[in-house]
Amino acid sequence: MKINKILIIDDDDSFRRVLEYHLQAEGHDVLCASSGEVGLALAREENPDLIITDVKMPDISGLDVLDAVRKSAPTLRVIVMTAFGIVDNNEAAMQLGASDCIAKPFNCESLKQSVRKVLN
């Protein structure tokens, strides 16, 4: 089984740790960033297989992260998480090329299924 490198970008420390724990338990190599800017820098350095990003963050939004990733690494897969304006954000994320959108709150099994689907 291939070990995938996943980058989680979310400004909520406890939520990020929960996601990290569950994805590591699935056998993934997980990197974390607390902001969009840090996440984009880490993505350039680490070349992850997948980015999971929240939409609403204080510096740059997850949609801006997605747009920057599409311009620099068009084949990199991105899952967008949102609890704010779900319909509008999901539609915008899919138009920007998101691999999947997940509405918060969600259970970790839903996230794992989305990750499996996107990585396969």
Side-chain angles (χ1 to χ4, degrees), residues 49-105:
D49 300 299
L50 171 65
I51 294 175
I52 302 172
T53 184
D54 191 18
V55 167
K56 184 136 174 91
M57 293 184 286
D59 60 346
I60 64 171
S61 76
L63 295 178
D64 292 333
V65 168
L66 174 60
D67 188 46
V69 167
R70 283 292 146 258
K71 290 175 181 168
S72 65
T75 61
L76 179 56
R77 293 159 287 196
V78 179
I79 295 174
V80 174
M81 305 177 292
T82 184
F84 298 92
I86 292 168
V87 173
D88 292 340
N89 285 334
N90 283 356
E91 186 176 309
M94 295 310 279
Q95 287 177 351
L96 286 171
S99 302
D100 200 3
C101 295
I102 302 174
K104 285 180 172 181

Side-chain angles (χ1 to χ4, degrees), residues 15-71:
F15 187 73
R16 200 174 55 246
R17 282 193 297 270
V18 168
L19 296 183
E20 179 182 20
Y21 170 81
H22 284 282
L23 292 173
Q24 284 177 336
E26 290 281 298
H28 301 292
D29 180 15
V30 181
L31 307 164
C32 293
S34 60
S35 72
E37 291 288 343
V38 172
L40 287 173
L42 198 53
R44 285 188 293 272
E45 293 170 16
E46 296 289 336
N47 299 311
D49 300 299
L50 171 65
I51 294 175
I52 302 172
T53 184
D54 191 18
V55 167
K56 184 136 174 91
M57 293 184 286
D59 60 346
I60 64 171
S61 76
L63 295 178
D64 292 333
V65 168
L66 174 60
D67 188 46
V69 167
R70 283 292 146 258
K71 290 175 181 168

